[in-house]
Amino acid sequence: MLRAAAAVVPAAVLLGGGVPALAREQAAAGRTLAPTPACDDGDDPTPPQTEGPYFKPDSPERSSLLEQGDPGGGVLLTVTGYVFGTGCRPLPEVLLDFWQADTQGAYDNTGFRYRGHQFTGQDGAFTLTTVLPGLYPGRTRHLHVKAQAPGERVLTTQLYFPGEPRNETDTIFDPALLMNVRDADGGKEATFDFVLEAGSAR
C-alpha cells in the first residue's frame, strides 16, 4: 500500500443533528463532491499519527470482522456505503482496509482480530460487519480505514459516531467524518460514503 496521502480540506454538507449528508444525496442533486478529509492533528503533510500506533499491513481480505471465540456482549455493527470520485461517479475496486479496537478498547497487535480489507464492487458499494468498538483513554469511539482507488494515493482516515460525549474533547475528531447511525435489530446500522480524488475517475 502506498504512503498515506496529504490531508485534504474537509467540506461536508451537514444535515440536522450535525451528521454529514451522504455523498449519494449530493450526487443525485448534480453537485460536485468534496473529498473525504484525512484525519490528522493539523500538520501538513498528514503525519504518522493519522493511522495511529495500531495499524498492521497484510490484513485478511474479508467483509466481516466477526470471528468465532469473540468475547460476548458486543453490539453488532453493520457499516454500508459507497466510494465516489469528486465527479459523483462510483469507484469500483477501491481497497478499503479497516481496523478497530475490540469491545474493551484494546487492539490485537499480534494477530488480525477486528482487522480486514475488502474491495468495492462495480457499483462502488461496500459492507462491513463488525462490533461497536470500545473506548480507550484519550479517544472517542471510532473506526480506522485506509481507502485507495487503483493506482491512486491512499486516504487514511477515521469514522466517528454521532452523540458520543468524547467527540467534544477528542482533538482529532472531525464532524465531517461522522457516520449516520441508527438502531436496528438489536444492533446498529451505519452509513458513510467516501469521496476520493482519483484521477480520471473523478
Side-chain angles (χ1 to χ4, degrees):
M1 188 176 279
L2 299 176
R3 186 174 59 186
V8 293
V9 177
V13 177
L14 298 181
L15 296 173
V19 178
L22 293 171
R24 69 195 83 158
E25 296 167 354
Q26 300 177 61
R31 301 173 183 160
T32 299
L33 302 178
T36 299
C39 183
D40 63 28
D41 61 2
D43 293 341
D44 186 24
T46 301
Q49 179 275 326
T50 300
E51 66 184 27
Y54 303 122
F55 173 70
K56 288 181 63 176
D58 303 320
S59 68
E61 183 176 347
R62 56 184 178 177
S63 60
S64 174
L65 305 187
L66 304 178
E67 297 181 1
Q68 289 187 347
D70 280 345
V75 176
L76 185 66
L77 172 67
T78 303
V79 183
T80 60
Y82 294 85
V83 181
F84 292 93
T86 54
C88 303
R89 295 169 56 187
L91 299 179
E93 299 299 320
V94 173
L95 171 65
L96 296 172
D97 195 346
F98 293 95
W99 71 103
Q100 67 172 83
D102 64 17
T103 58
Q104 304 303 310
Y107 287 83
D108 179 9
N109 296 316
T110 58
F112 289 95
R113 291 183 63 247
Y114 298 114
R115 300 174 184 271
H117 72 272
Q118 59 179 281
F119 296 89
T120 58
Q122 291 303 305
D123 58 355
F126 72 92
T127 298
L128 176 71
T129 304
T130 184
V131 295
L132 196 68
L135 294 167
Y136 63 88
R139 292 302 320 276
T140 191
R141 204 180 308 274
H142 62 281
L143 301 172
H144 293 270
V145 60
K146 288 180 179 284
Q148 183 181 26
E152 300 287 349
R153 297 181 300 175
V154 178
L155 168 71
T156 303
T157 193
Q158 299 177 34
L159 302 181
Y160 297 101
F161 296 81
E164 290 286 333
R166 292 191 186 183
N167 288 351
E168 302 298 322
T169 58
D170 191 320
T171 58
I172 301 174
F173 171 76
D174 186 336
L177 296 167
L178 280 167
M179 297 182 287
N180 292 277
V181 181
R182 68 182 185 91
D183 295 330
D185 298 327
K188 293 187 179 292
E189 293 181 350
T191 52
F192 189 87
D193 294 341
F194 295 94
V195 180
L196 303 182
E197 295 187 22
S200 60
R202 294 178 190 176

